[in-house]
Amino acid sequence: MRRRSSLPVTFLVPTLAILLVLSMVPTLYAIVIALQNRELSTPGYSWVWFSNFADLFADRRFLNAVWVSVKWEIVTVVATMVVAIGLGVLMFEVAGPRLRNFYCLLFIIPVLLPRVSAAFVWKFAYHPLYGIATYPYRLITGGLIFDPLSKPASALFAVASVDVWQWGLFFAVIVLKLLETLPPQPIEAARLDHAKRWQIHAYVTLPMLKAPLISLMFVKMIESLRSFDLIYVMTRGGPGVATETLDMYAFSQGFIESGKVSYASAMAVLMMVATVITFTMLWKRVQA
Amino acid sequence: MKPGKLIAKAILALAGFLAVFPLVWTALNALKNNVDIITRVPKVIFTPTLANIGYILGRDSVLTGLYNSVVACGSAVAIGIVLGLPAAYAVARYPNRWAGDIQFFVLSLRFLPPVAVAIPLMVIWLQIGLYDTLPALIVTYSLLTISVIMWLAIPAFQSVPKEIEEAAFVDGYGAYSVFWRIALPVAARSLIGAVAFSFVLVWNEFLIALMLSSSNAKTLPIVASELSQQGMNVPWGILNASVVLLSLPPLLFLGVLSGFLNSVFRQKKS
């Protein structure tokens, strides 16, 4: 019954035009800047073409940042999914409807917090002398110092724990809702075959949820790219460069240490290319 | 009760505790004097003080940050509603060849690393003379709000029963009045969830605000993070109070967002 109408054009064109301008202008300009040698301190600049990129690949701190970013992605995505599936299944198994609602409400709270807030909350909690999270350790060992944020080996995991605190708990709620949408018959059938509880989930329910779980993982991979706030507040990339991810390094090159905007932009361009290619390929896969 | 079930319940209870306790503790610390915070054994019983909260609310930088945050996020969300909702409706109800590509384009905006947007924009705003102003921040945030609202509103509009809209057409409604008087009100609940989500997203945004402001346009997250840059000499109670202030607005949407989540999954079931 839909007649020809001007609605799709008037509703879509302005919005898409604005989105295109707002996204393409900075993106293209990032590439332009990356091919120059701009610095914040000096107004002039010239074209240096690809020398920023060549410098990057000789920069060990950059390579370290790539490695830290990869580690960050893997640790946070895997830990988030494990926590989410674990808690989601537990809620599904042992909690009644009212308890489920209660837990769902609690588990959504951390993800709503600004990451800056979450980072502060845990930075205090991890304080070696006065922190609430390190208190049990002090109590048990009789006052030994445990300072997770200042040890290179543990700093990344300590920051990642905050990310998992926010996203793992939230995704647990989604996993529960997904489990609730499943038809009960296959579960009943498995139960009649004397399958154990964990077997039902490992072989029946989770395989049935494969597609949405992969989408969920995809979302988490995208969100994990936004690690900057946590790291900026909690460790500033330290100790040393142990938690310096790409965006942290780009920021410190462009703003804190030297104001090398072009150098930072070259890094941003590489990140952009890598993420756009990776996620476009993954997305097409997920959709297919 | 079987031991396995007991353990499962204990793990859940522990997770629930871990979800909220750090926040509760922060809120308690916001009410403490410094001597009660800097103790090796955490103090649960103390004489509460409102000094920290009073100090925070009395500081110009915090009030300016609050004002900037409210104006920047409010305007960006308003722009997102005005531009995002109609576009989402068009994609949902007037299928065309590019519908899939449009959806992917909108989603792909989320792949862009924030640094890759913030660095060139900083240079651009500096050149136009809009660096460190609210309009610059609002325009930048609009990219976020429009795309997120659009992304979430498309399924919301799709879930409106087609029959209602068809009936309205039969009754002689035009395409625009069907959108205004039928689709918008029917989908309102999910749409409010989408809008609330976009607000939380920009309210919590940090990196772009950090790069696009130096003094005038600082938002609340930036102000809060600066309080801590003065080292641990700043009384912890004050920092905790600022964290609480920063966290309150998103938490106000807890109810709306959990309702939104429920409605999304109820649709899937049916």
Side-chain angles (χ1 to χ4, degrees), chain A residues 6-28:
Chain A
S6 59
L7 183 139
V9 177
T10 40
F11 275 11
L12 261 180
V13 172
T15 304
L16 287 181
I18 288 172
L19 279 183
L20 266 177
V21 170
L22 282 182
S23 60
M24 291 318 283
V25 167
T27 316
L28 295 177

Side-chain angles (χ1 to χ4, degrees), chain B residues 156-236:
Chain B
F157 280 123
Q158 279 168 342
S159 71
V160 174
K162 263 195 174 148
E163 296 74 20
I164 307 182
E165 288 182 41
E166 299 295 340
F169 275 113
V170 175
D171 285 351
Y173 280 46
Y176 292 94
S177 45
V178 168
F179 169 71
W180 277 109
R181 296 165 69 175
I182 311 291
L184 269 189
V186 174
R189 280 196 54 164
S190 308
L191 295 180
I192 290 171
V195 170
F197 185 80
S198 78
F199 177 83
V200 171
L201 211 66
V202 284
W203 179 273
N204 295 354
E205 205 287 325
F206 179 71
L207 174 60
I208 294 176
L210 183 67
M211 288 198 181
L212 294 187
S213 64
S214 58
S215 57
N216 299 322
K218 277 182 202 156
T219 56
L220 201 53
I222 313 296
V223 175
S225 85
E226 272 172 1
L227 282 174
S228 81
Q229 299 306 316
Q230 300 160 18
M232 286 295 168
N233 303 327
V234 172
W236 279 30

Side-chain angles (χ1 to χ4, degrees), chain A residues 33-85:
Chain A
I33 299 173
L35 301 174
Q36 300 169 338
N37 63 349
R38 282 174 193 259
E39 292 193 10
L40 280 183
S41 46
T42 48
Y45 63 88
S46 58
W47 292 82
V48 296
W49 303 108
F50 291 98
S51 80
N52 282 323
F53 293 94
D55 290 349
L56 272 180
F57 285 104
D59 181 349
R60 288 183 54 192
R61 208 169 145 194
F62 169 73
L63 299 177
N64 169 71
V66 173
W67 171 230
V68 172
S69 295
V70 171
K71 258 198 302 194
W72 169 267
E73 281 285 318
I74 296 173
V75 168
T76 54
V77 171
V78 170
T80 298
M81 293 312 288
V82 168
V83 168
I85 293 176

